[in-house]
Amino acid sequence: MQRFLANIALSIILLAIPVVAQLAMPLPNSMGLSLLLYVPFHYAFFLLALILFLALNIYLSNKMKARLWQGAALGGVATIGWFSVSFLVVGQLHLSLGGQL
């Protein structure tokens, strides 16, 4: 349960960054999508999230005396899930504000 809550908390923190960027910028600039996908290079935020999820889950696996590869696999799955949800949330927010894809 601790691992699940830690992954959810990290997901919410990482999701808040592109959502706030999307809400803070004027409409023609889709900063939330750009931050999620392209800034400063392609999929940089995804790679940062991957590193954070891997580090978190490997740390928790080590703390719970579980296998490290299981923590790494769970970190990878959590990253893919987070990115899928984040892309949908930021994309829908962009569209609801009147933007175009």
Side-chain angles (χ1 to χ4, degrees):
M1 188 58 133
Q2 176 189 9
R3 184 185 303 236
F4 179 74
L5 293 176
N7 281 310
I8 293 296
L10 183 59
S11 296
I12 291 171
I13 292 168
L14 288 174
L15 176 61
I17 296 167
V19 168
V20 169
Q22 182 67 41
L23 291 172
M25 295 298 290
L27 215 94
N29 301 329
S30 62
M31 188 59 191
L33 284 173
S34 294
L35 178 66
L36 191 61
L37 298 174
Y38 306 120
V39 175
F41 56 88
H42 290 287
Y43 299 105
F45 200 61
F46 177 80
L47 292 175
L48 174 67
L50 178 65
I51 291 168
L52 292 175
F53 276 111
L54 286 175
L56 173 69
N57 286 295
I58 289 173
Y59 170 74
L60 290 175
S61 289
N62 191 24
K63 185 178 174 183
M64 296 185 324
K65 307 279 192 246
R67 296 178 185 211
L68 296 181
W69 66 269
Q70 290 175 335
L74 184 61
V77 169
T79 305
I80 292 170
W82 165 82
F83 183 76
S84 301
V85 170
S86 295
F87 184 77
L88 291 173
V89 167
V90 174
Q92 287 293 357
L93 179 63
H94 177 69
L95 291 175
S96 70
L97 294 174
Q100 297 177 1
L101 291 179

